[in-house]
Amino acid sequence: MSHSHKLAVAPMLDWTDRHCRYFHRLISDQVLLYTEMVTAPAILLGDRDKYIGFSNKEHPVAIQLGGSNSKELASCARIAEDYGYDEVNLNVGCPSDRVQKGRFGACLMKEPELVAECITAMQQVVNIPVTVKSRIGVDDQESYEAFDHFIQTVRQTGCDTFIIHARKAYLKGLSPKQNRHIPPLQYHFPYRLKKDHPELKVMINGGVNTVEEAQKHWQHCDGVMIGRAFWNAPWLIREMHDAAGFKNMNSGRDDVLKAYLDYCRLQINEGNSLHWLIRPILGLYHGMKGNKKFKSYLVTEAPRRKTDVSVLNEARTFVQP
Ligand SMILES: Cc1cc2nc3c(=O)[nH]c(=O)nc-3n(C[C@H](O)[C@H](O)[C@H](O)COP(=O)(O)O)c2cc1C
């Protein structure tokens, strides 16, 4: 299945789990969804369904892999395709210490040949697209030339889709959290990449918060990927969906809440807890009067009444129409 890269929700560890993706899909039937990063050993040795199981309602959905062993990654790509994922993405952007020890994530920007080897190995065993999410550089890699060298080395594999978190990563001295604010964003890197290589699909990521900003990026690149802003205010996904020119959806926030409540009921029958299920919806009424109370009601009641989905409707009463 081919899918658009015009708009995507960023992969976010502990956030974009299957419940979150299901919820986002109710808000937009077009936005491209990404899993949290899953490491190759987790897929190969761990409880596979737990790590990569998903609902067929989530399509189009891409799996993001973390690793740098081409054999392992190829096995994972195969497994992901068999599970029904629509795209495999390699994480070349995460700066955490844990990830560096495993020699993957952002430190791979220093090893373009290794990334190319991994991408080739995956492409050889799957038919779905294999894509890359990277930074614009790491540590003392400052120049556009170094960034371009990385991209050109990888694209020689045939990989044509690059998601660029438009800031450098520092492998030492900053926590991953700090590394999402500092150093400054430099959108001119992905802009220039697209300008020089119009045949590539380039998605911009990092600090996109408003429809106006997205519209500006769409003039220069193929798409935008948004993380934190969508988590804080999920209805922004619908506003971006509309701005992207995707087919109009008639549902409103309350319809989405109702559909998600049905989903919660099913998930609870499977043994899941409301405590976890409510996390993605906390900001659903962001910007409306009462969202704070909606949120705090959910956060206090859900852990107490682990299986009682009426908590969602009760919380809704705090939001002004
Ligand atoms: C809680 C959290 C977890 C993240 N986990 C991942 C991840 O698993 N893989 C990845 O490539 N990026 C991860 N990121 C980075 C985001 O995908 C994105 O690149 C970054 O937040 C910048 O986009 P934004 O400004 O729209 O949030 C994470 C970000 C956050 C906030």
Side-chain angles (χ1 to χ4, degrees):
M1 183 163 92
S2 87
H3 48 266
S4 161
H5 282 88
K6 192 160 185 191
L7 184 65
V9 181
M12 290 181 286
L13 211 56
D14 291 333
W15 288 7
T16 52
D17 62 8
R18 56 183 296 174
H19 309 312
C20 177
R21 298 192 305 266
Y22 190 98
F23 172 64
H24 287 166
R25 180 58 69 222
L26 294 169
I27 299 175
S28 166
D29 56 11
Q30 295 296 319
V31 67
L32 177 57
L33 301 175
Y34 282 78
T35 67
E36 310 164 81
M37 177 180 72
V38 200
T39 65
I43 296 177
L44 297 173
L45 311 170
D47 176 348
R48 197 167 289 167
D49 279 335
K50 178 179 149 221
Y51 284 113
I52 69 169
F54 68 103
S55 154
N56 63 13
K57 299 265 169 60
E58 291 171 36
H59 291 293
V61 57
I63 187 168
Q64 188 189 56
L65 300 180
S68 63
N69 177 313
S70 60
K71 280 210 185 83
E72 286 178 10
L73 286 171
S75 304
C76 291
R78 250 312 246 296
I79 293 166
E81 185 176 50
D82 287 343
Y83 260 73
Y85 281 98
D86 300 294
E87 172 183 321
V88 177
N89 176 266
L90 183 66
N91 183 331
V92 189
C94 178
S96 91
D97 284 346
R98 191 173 65 88
V99 159
Q100 285 176 54
K101 285 201 198 85
R103 198 167 160 229
F104 60 92
C107 60
L108 288 178
M109 288 210 74
K110 293 180 176 168
E111 302 189 72
E113 281 81 16
L114 179 58
V115 174
E117 180 195 318
C118 292
I119 299 293
T120 301
M122 291 190 275
Q123 283 172 336
Q124 278 170 351
V125 296
V126 297
N127 293 311
I128 51 176
V130 180
T131 65
V132 167
K133 179 170 181 277
S134 78
R135 298 277 187 139
I136 57 173
V138 282
D139 294 340
D140 56 357
Q141 245 178 29
E142 298 278 353
S143 68
Y144 180 81
E145 284 63 35
F147 169 68
D148 191 51
H149 172 70
F150 170 80
I151 301 282
Q152 298 316 321
T153 306
V154 176
R155 77 172 285 213
Q156 273 163 23
T157 65
C159 172
D160 69 353
T161 304
F162 293 90
I163 302 155
I164 313 293
H165 181 181
R167 62 161 56 88
K168 278 193 347 176
Y170 286 123
L171 298 178
K172 294 217 165 55
L174 290 183
S175 71
K177 193 168 177 191
Q178 291 170 317
N179 236 311
R180 289 180 209 122
H181 296 280
I182 358 180
L185 288 154
Q186 304 194 62
Y187 295 127
H188 57 97
F189 276 66
Y191 285 2
R192 179 162 165 204
L193 180 68
K194 178 66 188 177
K195 193 160 172 254
D196 291 351
H197 306 283
E199 70 284 3
L200 297 179
K201 278 184 237 149
V202 179
M203 288 195 95
I204 286 211
N205 168 245
V208 185
N209 290 310
T210 65
V211 168
E212 291 69 30
E213 286 163 0
Q215 275 162 337
K216 187 176 140 226
H217 295 314
W218 283 324
Q219 288 173 7
H220 298 276
C221 290
D222 298 280
V224 293
M225 168 183 271
I226 298 173
R228 289 163 293 185
F230 280 166
W231 176 263
N232 296 331
W235 199 250
L236 185 60
I237 299 174
R238 174 64 66 80
E239 289 164 15
M240 295 277 186
H241 169 111
D242 292 339
F246 294 141
K247 196 164 166 281
N248 188 40
M249 292 174 73
N250 288 318
S251 55
R253 296 186 216 220
D254 289 343
D255 303 307
V256 166
L257 184 68
K258 194 160 167 284
Y260 191 70
L261 190 148
D262 292 337
Y263 172 78
C264 288
R265 209 173 265 134
L266 294 174
Q267 286 296 317
I268 280 165
N269 288 340
E270 306 254 303
N272 286 310
S273 164
L274 204 52
H275 177 41
W276 202 254
L277 286 159
I278 52 128
R279 295 177 357 121
I281 74 170
L282 297 175
L284 176 60
Y285 294 95
H286 180 92
M288 290 172 68
K289 231 176 159 196
N291 186 68
K292 259 205 184 124
K293 281 189 177 158
F294 172 80
K295 211 171 180 167
S296 61
Y297 190 84
L298 287 174
V299 173
T300 35
E301 287 303 308
R304 279 192 223 153
R305 291 154 59 193
K306 293 179 175 46
T307 58
D308 185 359
V309 293
S310 45
V311 169
L312 271 66
N313 282 330
E314 291 160 20
R316 170 64 186 85
T317 61
F318 293 105
V319 182
Q320 315 279 314

